[in-house]
Amino acid sequence: MQNNKRPENMARIETKEQADAFIAEQVAAVKAQVGDKKVLLALSGGVDSSVVAALLIKAIGKNLVCVHVNHGLLRKGEPEQVVEVFRNQMNANLVYVDAVDRFLDKLAGVAEPEQKRKVIGAEFIRVFEEEARKQDGIEFLAQGTIYPDILESGPVKAHHNVGGLPDDLRFELVEPLKFLFKDEVRVVGKALGLPDGMVYRQPFPGPGLGVRCLGAITRDRLECVRESDAILREEFAKNGLAGKVWQYFTVVPDFKSVGVKENKRCFEYPVIIRAVNTKDAMTATVEDVPFALLQHITDRITKEVKGVNRVLYDLTPKPCGTIEWE
Ligand code: XMP
């Protein structure tokens, strides 16, 4: 039975020195646990799996096999960043799986959010299992479990665990971050040399853009979500809001409305902007984004994103609106 309680005398990790000490301790612990055996990791590019990857690369180098599944629901530039940081900069043993068509085919016609989650989760296990079977000599599975996942506090649904693998692939777990809180994970990530864009990423739901492309996902609307989200993130970063606002993203519903572009009537999708602040995601308030910035973002989205003719700002706090639209 594994001990899942944070040791009472464990000091909080707040400084680079404390992070370095934690890293040295965990590198030794991982080496002692896995020896010269191979470890598999599902590397999404999120903060937790990225920090686990960087830590394990330090401990066991190429004996860590990272699998990055691109399911087509990631934000613009994310799969490329995973390849750049881990394969090119950290020299990791990285398997990049382009599973975009597989996921989108499975999701075709699926409109109900819980059903979408199930399809995405089940397909993820299938792809990961296939990749695991291609690897020889894997004996361990690394996971980016953090302490709040163990405590199960708050409604932020963690998708770190690759549960549901068949019995013959139930590897022994390596979970070096399991006693850390999120802010400590970020300090460790920084000390490991990960880029700020990865370490200070806003929360991103497991099913990715899939819950922001409302109704049955179509490729054209998914592109509207991805492109409008990229513009929003770029403008928030440029205007000092990226590190300040807890979560911000765009949503595309599955209906069109009439607009006018270049003196012609057009029938296109709206984009909804959401930007909220919260401590624990149980309640949330809406960020007071400067009106001029909202106008500028609207201008960019309607000009640069194909198939969009309106932009709306969601003013609803939680409750009664949830953070995601699903
Ligand atoms: P709601 O919409 O319930 O969201 O107010 C609260 C927080 O949870 C995130 N969220 C998810 N995270 N898998 C996740 O990993 C999910 O299916 C999921 N749904 C919502 C949401 O982004 C917000 O931070």
Side-chain angles (χ1 to χ4, degrees), residues 90-204:
M90 294 197 168
N91 202 20
N93 190 351
L94 173 74
V95 180
Y96 170 82
V97 189
D98 179 350
V100 175
D101 289 341
R102 272 180 76 155
F103 275 83
L104 295 187
D105 288 351
K106 280 266 159 33
L107 284 163
V110 181
E112 205 275 315
E114 285 308 318
Q115 194 54 31
K116 278 189 200 172
R117 285 194 174 86
K118 277 196 195 129
V119 170
I120 296 165
E123 195 57 18
F124 184 85
I125 298 291
R126 222 165 286 141
V127 173
F128 192 71
E129 180 189 338
E130 284 173 21
E131 293 307 319
R133 291 199 186 285
K134 289 183 197 163
Q135 302 290 328
D136 285 329
I138 301 280
E139 293 194 15
F140 297 87
L141 181 72
Q143 295 196 147
T145 314
I146 67 171
Y147 205 42
D149 300 330
I150 293 173
L151 298 174
E152 284 180 341
S153 64
V156 180
K157 299 140 202 137
H159 278 241
H160 301 299
N161 302 340
V162 193
L165 283 172
D167 277 347
D168 63 318
L169 292 178
R170 292 259 165 83
F171 307 112
E172 186 179 322
L173 294 181
V174 180
E175 297 178 301
L177 310 180
K178 73 174 182 177
F179 293 135
L180 300 196
F181 288 98
K182 195 77 174 193
D183 57 327
E184 298 177 299
V185 175
R186 294 192 209 274
V187 179
V188 171
K190 199 73 195 129
L192 284 163
L194 289 173
D196 283 3
M198 233 167 206
V199 172
Y200 297 108
R201 237 170 74 135
Q202 53 169 323
F204 188 55

Side-chain angles (χ1 to χ4, degrees), residues 117 155-157 159 205-207 246-247 281 318 322-324 326:
R117 285 194 174 86
V156 180
K157 299 140 202 137
H159 278 241
W246 195 80
Q247 202 174 17
K318 176 181 181 178
T322 50
I323 295 176
E324 300 289 346
E326 308 203 348

